Amino acid sequence: MHKIAIALGLTGFLAVIAVVPATLAQQRPTVDAAKVDAAIQAAFPTFPTAASDWTPRLAPDETMKQCVANDNLPPKAVGDAIMAREKATIQYPTDGKLVGDWKKGETLAQSGFGLRFTDYPARDRPNGGNCYACHQLTKTEVSYGTIGPSLLAYGKIRNFGEAETKAAYEKIYNPHASYPCSLMPRLGNNKVLTIEQIKDAVALLMSPDSPVNQ
Amino acid sequence: MELKRTLVAVLLVIGLSPVAMAQDLDTEKAIERYRQMLKADPWSNPGLLDVDRGETLWATPRGPKNVSLEQCDLGKGPGKVDGAFAELPRYFADADRVMDVETRILWCMEKLQGFNRADLIKSPHPSGGQPVKELGAMATYVANKSSGMKFAAKLDQPKERETVALGQALFNRRSGPFDFACTTCHAETGKRIRLQGLPFLSNPEEARKVIGEWPAYRVSSTHVMTMQHRLVDCFWQMRMPPLELGSDVSVALIAYLAKTAEGGEINAPALKR
């Protein structure tokens, strides 16, 4: 489904999903949401650090609830509501500069470090964005995943445009702002990456001298 | 003894070490060599050492009550191990719960042998390079005693159906800082994360191919990994806390996977990346 949606692009995607969800929704078993929540609460009794770091992870927020209820293919009205809600979360650098250092971007794209229960107690090491887990980015890195589309030559294809640079920043900050129920993490919104790190990831995609564009 | 000697030979030939295992590509090569060895000599599967260990543990009087697990009822009556795994998870009236093989063995260790449950679930899974713990070795033994059979858990009682439905809901549920669900990684054919292939586990055809391979000998961590341990590892990737062994969430997910894999052949312990 997702592959098809990506191929069609967003407009096609929204047109397709407008007809699909009713049939999909019927296949889901009926389980009381409170029962699921209670099972989750009981299944994770111990946390490596303060409970306040962990309990929020156990529950989906409103957007995730809507995505799960629609098998990640929300009908148009729900999708529009998600995009509006998620777009409102995006914070921009105060100096207005969206492009950081692509070398740091490459490092964070390679790194899956951070927020796993073995990553505590906190170390003096930044979280990674783990882009390569899901995306092809450069010709040199052959160990890449395929959950997301290839980002080879991302900036070059887009002529390193200003609007496209902003779109890349917003995508990394919160992918649901443009693609409701994306499988990509909300790295900015969920405080996985800092604004500085997101700028570095943008640089990896949008700098002419980045290995992504060679 | 013979088995141990073969294994040492295998390890020497392949030059296995945790360091060498760190690389995905090295791992792939090592697996390929393992597969060749297994073809030549099925007994060279290192997971079989833990089957033997599990069998011995099962039959040895242990725990505060100093009894063996030979009276443990895995669903086919006390002491019946052959074919029991193929019909798990199932509802157990004595515990008034649906249980998978590991949860059931945990229950027997607590109720029959008098072990303290809290102690058993405190650190139930080995770290890389360490052998599977005792409970896991026994689960490997029990699963092996259904090798060659097909998954046939009925899961048709009301409590069982509820458990499978809960498992499906959990499989789709997204939460945590990465917004991951099991479906993020396991709901399409042919996807991979880095170089690791991701089976489409909600698809019966793909589930039938892989679910019966667990517990499995994992070449990348050089030990047997049980299904409960596999789930802990996936929740770890999801940035969730450690999953409790025997929790309803663990049982429900395993029941959902086994139901989806119904009819698939059991081949445990298999060899995995």
Side-chain angles (χ1 to χ4, degrees):
Chain A
M1 271 302 174
H2 255 272
K3 209 170 16 193
I4 300 166
I6 290 163
L8 289 175
L10 192 56
T11 336
F13 169 60
L14 291 174
V16 169
I17 56 174
V19 285
V20 178
T23 46
L24 280 172
Q26 282 158 12
Q27 293 165 8
R28 270 193 316 280
T30 45
V31 189
D32 182 9
K35 207 183 122 188
V36 181
D37 291 343
I40 286 278
Q41 292 293 337
F44 299 100
T46 55
F47 307 125
T49 52
S52 55
D53 298 341
W54 291 85
T55 41
R57 303 185 185 194
L58 303 182
D61 68 5
E62 189 54 28
T63 292
M64 284 307 119
K65 274 188 203 152
Q66 288 176 321
C67 291
V68 171
N70 293 288
D71 285 335
N72 297 318
L73 296 168
K76 185 164 185 333
V78 178
D80 287 348
I82 290 174
M83 286 197 284
R85 180 192 304 130
E86 297 300 319
K87 179 122 197 182
T89 70
I90 299 179
Q91 288 174 24
Y92 298 87
T94 40
D95 64 1
K97 288 209 183 91
L98 298 178
V99 184
D101 175 349
W102 70 256
K103 290 197 187 84
K104 288 188 189 155
E106 167 69 8
T107 305
L108 74 85
Q110 290 280 3
S111 167
F113 180 83
L115 303 167
R116 300 167 301 200
F117 58 73
T118 48
D119 297 335
Y120 298 84
R123 264 152 264 179
D124 188 18
R125 189 177 161 189
N127 291 342
N130 220 3
C131 319
Y132 280 106
C134 298
H135 294 288
Q136 179 180 32
L137 284 135
T138 54
K139 285 188 195 128
T140 42
E141 181 52 87
V142 295
S143 175
Y144 61 84
T146 56
I147 291 173
S150 171
L151 303 176
L152 264 186
Y154 195 81
K156 204 166 155 186
I157 294 168
R158 290 164 178 74
N159 289 318
F160 308 106
E162 212 174 294
E164 287 79 0
T165 303
K166 183 157 177 268
Y169 181 91
E170 291 173 342
K171 173 60 63 183
I172 300 164
Y173 199 100
N174 191 332
H176 300 261
S178 54
Y179 191 131
C181 302
S182 172
L183 298 183
M184 177 163 156
R186 290 174 287 182
L187 297 166
N189 189 44
N190 288 357
K191 306 244 174 322
V192 177
L193 300 179
T194 63
I195 286 180
E196 279 310 306
Q197 285 181 299
I198 294 174
K199 287 166 62 176
D200 294 337
V202 171
L204 180 65
L205 299 176
M206 299 305 289
S207 296
D209 53 345
S210 153
V212 166
N213 297 310
Q214 302 315 307
Chain B
M1 205 54 237
E2 183 52 38
L3 180 58
K4 278 209 180 90
R5 217 171 320 119
T6 320
L7 174 65
V8 170
V10 172
L11 294 178
L12 286 177
V13 169
I14 307 178
L16 271 186
S17 80
V19 178
M21 289 298 98
Q23 294 288 320
D24 283 338
L25 292 172
D26 285 356
T27 306
E28 292 299 330
K29 275 187 219 147
I31 290 176
E32 198 35 52
R33 268 171 289 179
Y34 256 121
R35 292 209 172 106
Q36 295 304 324
M37 301 287 297
L38 283 183
K39 233 189 260 167
D41 176 10
W43 293 100
S44 63
N45 177 352
L48 293 177
L49 285 178
D50 293 302
V51 170
D52 284 357
R53 203 176 121 228
E55 182 169 15
T56 306
L57 284 164
W58 183 264
T60 305
R62 292 173 359 109
K65 297 189 186 163
N66 199 37
V67 294
S68 78
L69 286 182
E70 284 161 318
Q71 287 306 304
C72 176
D73 183 354
L74 294 168
K76 295 172 83 75
K80 291 230 162 58
V81 178
D82 281 350
F85 178 75
E87 293 172 27
L88 289 171
R90 72 194 294 159
Y91 174 76
F92 289 90
D94 54 10
D96 190 26
R97 270 189 82 191
V98 177
M99 294 172 158
D100 67 299
V101 65
E102 290 167 79
T103 304
R104 186 60 183 173
I105 295 173
L106 173 69
W107 192 86
C108 286
M109 289 174 81
E110 184 191 352
K111 302 292 176 195
L112 302 185
Q113 298 183 309
F115 280 110
N116 181 317
R117 183 170 179 274
D119 292 342
L120 293 173
I121 62 174
K122 202 168 160 212
S123 173
H125 307 298
S127 39
Q130 299 298 310
V132 66
K133 305 239 169 146
E134 293 176 339
L135 195 162
M138 287 190 275
T140 311
Y141 156 62
V142 171
N144 181 253
K145 285 285 178 188
S146 288
S147 257
M149 298 177 194
K150 297 200 153 80
F151 270 117
K154 288 199 196 74
L155 295 164
D156 57 358
Q157 303 293 309
K159 283 229 162 128
E160 294 174 339
R161 280 210 303 266
E162 252 173 58
T163 301
V164 173
L166 174 64
Q168 181 166 13
L170 290 163
F171 196 82
N172 294 311
R173 191 177 194 267
R174 297 178 71 172
S175 76
F178 277 57
D179 298 322
F180 282 167
C182 310
T183 48
T184 309
C185 295
H186 296 298
E188 250 191 86
T189 294
K191 292 284 166 189
R192 44 174 232 247
I193 195 151
R194 287 282 184 158
L195 291 179
Q196 298 161 29
L198 297 167
F200 181 1
L201 293 173
S202 37
N203 172 297
E205 216 175 297
E206 289 198 35
R208 275 185 217 119
K209 276 191 211 138
V210 296
I211 299 301
E213 301 188 315
W214 297 87
Y217 183 82
R218 217 164 162 247
V219 175
S220 56
S221 47
T222 63
H223 58 204
V224 164
M225 184 184 231
T226 64
M227 186 54 99
Q228 289 269 348
H229 188 185
R230 179 66 255 171
L231 293 184
V232 171
D233 216 50
C234 284
F235 276 117
W236 172 82
Q237 296 183 67
M238 293 162 76
R239 274 69 183 171
M240 292 285 274
L243 175 70
E244 184 170 284
L245 189 144
S247 58
D248 286 347
V249 167
S250 69
V251 173
L253 282 167
I254 293 171
Y256 170 64
L257 293 170
K259 185 72 193 165
T260 312
E262 193 172 1
E265 190 169 311
I266 294 161
N267 169 32
L271 204 69
K272 301 293 273 190
R273 189 193 72 85

